[in-house]
Amino acid sequence: VFNPISVKIPTLFHSLSHWQDSVIRRSLVVLGFSGAAMLFNMGLAYVATILLSLPEFGIFYLAITITNVIFAPSIVLTLFYSRHFVVVAKKLGEQAAYSAIHHYIKRVSVWSGLAALVLLIGLLSIGEQIGLRAPIIIVLIVLIDYLAYITETSRAAMQALHQFVRLGLYTLSWMAFRFLLAIAGLWLYGSVSVGLLGVALSAIVVFPFFYAWLKKQTKGVQAPIELEL
């Protein structure tokens, strides 16, 4: 006798077994963490309006806006290198991909440093024209973006290696520390520069955790894989 339930139950379990590898599941995980991270970003602007006077908030908001504009190209780099690491992992294995990531971080650190120096000189020369009269604010803007570009390398790595839970937690932790440290600076000192320093420090807090994990994965690998662009 045909029993439809006997057919549906194995089919259901088969579907659930593939849920772990589902693109939908991965997307939902990343979206969930990213959504929570965005709340911290919006919360930073909102709380800053309460803690700062109107002129000070204007400077703080302008500084954050400039850092976001400078940071925007990192999205393209993340997608490009994430794809590259996937290719390396498929052709040479996961260990080779970890090694390539290690090399990529070093390269980004050097080239971003040079770009930051040029950017600093450029912004200092036009600071008056764009409403940033205090050089320390400009220095902090450049520092925030330099550290952010380095920290973003970890997101490209985890995306390529399908470490989606780690990616989500990392993004959420970064934005949470960004919020907490910036608000602490604004609340304790009432200073825009100290608040921006808190934003910069958030990257310094989270990135070492990723780098320690990466070093553990590359332990025993002879030399990093050179990137072929």
Side-chain angles (χ1 to χ4, degrees):
V1 178
F2 174 74
N3 186 353
I5 296 178
S6 64
V7 176
K8 289 181 181 178
I9 291 178
T11 303
L12 177 61
F13 280 110
H14 179 74
S15 299
L16 289 174
S17 67
H18 285 281
W19 173 250
Q20 295 298 320
D21 300 319
S22 169
V23 174
I24 296 175
R25 181 192 70 86
R26 294 170 181 172
S27 300
L28 289 174
V29 168
V30 174
L31 283 173
F33 283 114
S34 298
M38 285 180 64
L39 291 177
F40 279 112
N41 266 336
M42 293 188 293
L44 175 58
Y46 176 74
V47 178
T49 63
I50 300 172
L51 297 176
L52 297 173
S53 65
L54 188 58
E56 288 176 326
F57 175 74
I59 296 171
F60 182 77
Y61 187 79
L62 176 61
I64 292 296
T65 301
I66 292 173
T67 62
N68 289 339
V69 171
I70 298 170
F71 186 64
S74 69
I75 299 172
V76 177
L77 290 174
T78 296
L79 292 173
F80 177 82
Y81 281 106
S82 178
R83 180 181 176 279
H84 174 77
F85 298 144
V86 169
V87 172
V88 171
K90 286 183 176 179
K91 289 185 176 180
L92 302 174
E94 197 170 88
Q95 279 295 319
Y98 284 122
S99 186
I101 292 164
H102 192 271
H103 180 79
Y104 170 55
I105 292 170
K106 290 183 177 179
R107 178 174 290 188
V108 169
S109 300
V110 173
W111 287 105
S112 292
L114 294 175
L117 182 60
V118 173
L119 180 64
L120 178 62
I121 295 171
L123 286 177
L124 285 173
S125 65
I126 63 170
E128 289 282 342
Q129 287 81 359
I130 62 176
L132 296 175
R133 295 181 177 86
I136 185 62
I137 301 296
I138 295 175
V139 170
L140 287 168
I141 288 172
V142 175
L143 177 63
I144 288 169
D145 277 310
Y146 172 67
L147 294 173
Y149 267 87
I150 295 174
T151 306
E152 184 68 9
T153 60
S154 54
R155 286 166 40 82
M158 288 184 279
Q159 183 174 314
L161 297 168
H162 297 170
Q163 299 288 331
F164 293 105
V165 174
R166 277 194 175 92
L167 172 60
L169 285 171
Y170 187 83
T171 303
L172 180 58
S173 300
W174 186 9
M175 294 302 105
F177 277 111
R178 188 174 184 264
F179 172 83
L180 293 172
L181 293 174
I183 294 303
L186 296 177
W187 180 52
L188 292 173
Y189 298 94
S191 168
V192 172
S193 58
V194 178
L196 292 174
L197 180 61
V199 174
L201 289 175
S202 65
I204 297 176
V205 170
V206 298
F207 184 75
F209 289 98
F210 165 78
Y211 196 72
W213 174 76
L214 179 66
K215 290 285 285 184
K216 184 178 179 181
Q217 305 306 315
T218 55
K219 188 177 181 181
V221 177
Q222 292 293 327
I225 303 296
E226 293 289 331
L227 295 175
E228 297 177 2
L229 305 179

